[in-house]
Amino acid sequence: MLNITRERNKELTLSKALSLKERIDKGESFQDLVQKFSEDEGTNRSGGDLGVSEGSAFPKEFEDVLLIMEKDEVSQPIILEEMNSVHILKLTDVKKPKPENFESMRIKLEENFLE
């Protein structure tokens, strides 16, 4: 994550993010670049790992991009206007939800119905 600041406006921040994306595309490690350049203390310590989303945990701009990405793909820079920041995402895994079995659903439905 790169912050848009007075010293580094949106265009300069986007340019920096595009430069980092190019370095990733040429083979540099996403995690290493996050640790070196991310201005978010939480993600730079974790190598950029944001965790898992079922489709609503992250900003809409992230969720929309993640829906069209393939596993291990790195996104183009994403501008979050409300946070004054630019982000690059890497989709590291896709987990398919497992449907609940009938018995556990039946118990929950009965509990809800009886309340």
Side-chain angles (χ1 to χ4, degrees):
M1 187 263 298
L2 299 171
N3 290 315
I4 299 168
T5 63
R6 288 180 193 219
E7 296 79 27
R8 191 178 61 219
N9 64 24
K10 187 189 315 186
E11 290 74 26
L12 288 173
T13 306
L14 185 56
S15 176
K16 175 79 171 174
L18 286 167
S19 171
L20 292 170
K21 168 70 164 105
E22 190 174 299
R23 290 173 67 173
I24 294 165
D25 290 345
K26 290 181 178 178
E28 287 191 59
S29 164
F30 178 87
Q31 289 79 10
D32 290 346
L33 291 174
V34 168
Q35 289 174 337
K36 187 171 183 180
F37 294 101
S38 177
E39 296 171 348
D40 176 70
E41 290 184 25
T43 58
N44 70 10
R45 281 191 229 126
S46 70
D49 189 347
L50 297 176
V52 178
S53 174
E54 81 295 345
S56 66
F58 306 135
K60 181 178 180 340
E61 295 88 343
F62 285 14
E63 297 290 358
D64 291 346
V65 170
L66 289 169
L67 281 174
I68 60 173
M69 291 176 66
E70 299 289 328
K71 184 178 178 200
D72 296 321
E73 184 178 356
V74 177
S75 74
Q76 291 297 319
I78 302 165
I79 299 171
L80 291 182
E81 298 285 348
E82 67 278 357
M83 294 181 68
N84 287 322
S85 56
V86 178
H87 305 258
I88 299 172
L89 304 178
K90 180 176 182 180
L91 182 62
T92 58
D93 197 9
V94 177
K95 297 180 180 181
K96 304 273 185 201
K98 295 178 184 173
E100 288 187 63
N101 66 40
F102 176 75
E103 186 59 27
S104 65
M105 286 177 58
R106 183 186 65 76
I107 292 169
K108 286 180 187 176
L109 288 170
E110 284 178 354
E111 289 172 356
N112 288 336
F113 183 72
L114 294 175
E115 289 181 358

